[in-house]
Amino acid sequence: MSVERTLSMIKPDATRRNITGKVIDRLETAGLRVVAQRRIQLTKERAEEFYGVHKERPFFKDLVSFMTSGPIVVQVLEGDNAIALNREVMGATNPAEAAEGTIRKEFAESIEANSVHGSDGPDTASQEISFFFSSDEIVG
Ligand code: IDP
Ligand code: MG
């Protein structure tokens, strides 16, 4: 096992319902440690840049609109195998397919408004962390 860091976002559907604490509790209970955190409002330009990999997908415009519809909480999570562990705790993209006990099964409203983001691999984790945080903002 190796200690990793991953980028997490608590999405606007969750900030709107005031359940950021419930989401963070799931992450911490699973063994992930919040080593950086900030509540922000994404601009359209920043959301388009963050989700650039999806720009040809049919849901891209709606996704950018959703992600800018309210505040988000961006976090760096640290722990043993943090990248895969976070994906496991999050559950499948579509809450209808998410396993029992996962954040998306419990809290997501739809395949779009699915409460959380987590990096999907080591390269995206390091890119996504530096998209939001400088190294002196991450305190392990
Ligand atoms: P992930 O968040 O589980 O990694 P991705 O495929 O990377 O899923 O998609 C990024 C985000 O785009 C999803 O979390 C969700 O908010 C949105 N999304 C993905 N697929 C769809 C879809 O088919 N319809 C609407 N929104 C989608
Ligand atoms: Mg993804």
Side-chain angles (χ1 to χ4, degrees):
M1 299 234 278
S2 68
V3 176
E4 293 174 339
R5 287 175 174 174
T6 191
L7 192 278
S8 164
M9 299 194 285
I10 304 176
K11 295 186 177 182
D13 64 287
T15 61
R16 190 174 295 123
R17 284 176 288 154
N18 202 27
I19 57 169
T20 62
K22 288 183 176 163
V23 171
I24 294 165
D25 180 52
R26 296 302 188 93
L27 300 171
E28 290 181 341
T29 300
L32 293 159
R33 182 173 291 269
V34 179
V35 294
Q37 180 167 264
R38 192 186 311 119
R39 183 175 172 107
I40 61 166
Q41 172 66 51
L42 273 181
T43 62
K44 179 169 178 280
E45 292 67 31
R46 288 279 284 170
E48 285 174 348
E49 191 183 346
F50 184 84
Y51 280 115
V53 65
H54 294 310
K55 65 175 181 294
E56 305 303 334
R57 307 284 286 277
F59 58 81
F60 180 69
K61 204 160 175 266
D62 283 348
L63 175 61
V64 169
S65 162
F66 164 63
M67 289 300 294
T68 56
S69 68
I72 65 168
V73 177
V74 290
Q75 311 171 302
V76 179
L77 306 177
E78 184 179 86
D80 286 331
N81 295 319
I83 299 166
L85 175 58
N86 185 40
R87 296 290 305 192
E88 195 181 314
V89 177
M90 288 163 58
T93 308
N94 185 350
E97 293 164 9
E100 288 297 332
T102 62
I103 292 170
R104 283 167 164 172
K105 176 71 175 184
E106 175 131 2
F107 299 119
E109 294 179 326
S110 67
I111 190 170
E112 176 182 82
N114 58 7
S115 304
V116 282
H117 167 86
S119 308
D120 61 10
D123 293 345
T124 48
S126 98
Q127 284 160 23
E128 291 177 356
I129 288 169
S130 52
F131 188 85
F132 287 112
F133 295 99
S134 58
S135 57
D136 65 352
E137 293 176 303
I138 305 168
V139 183

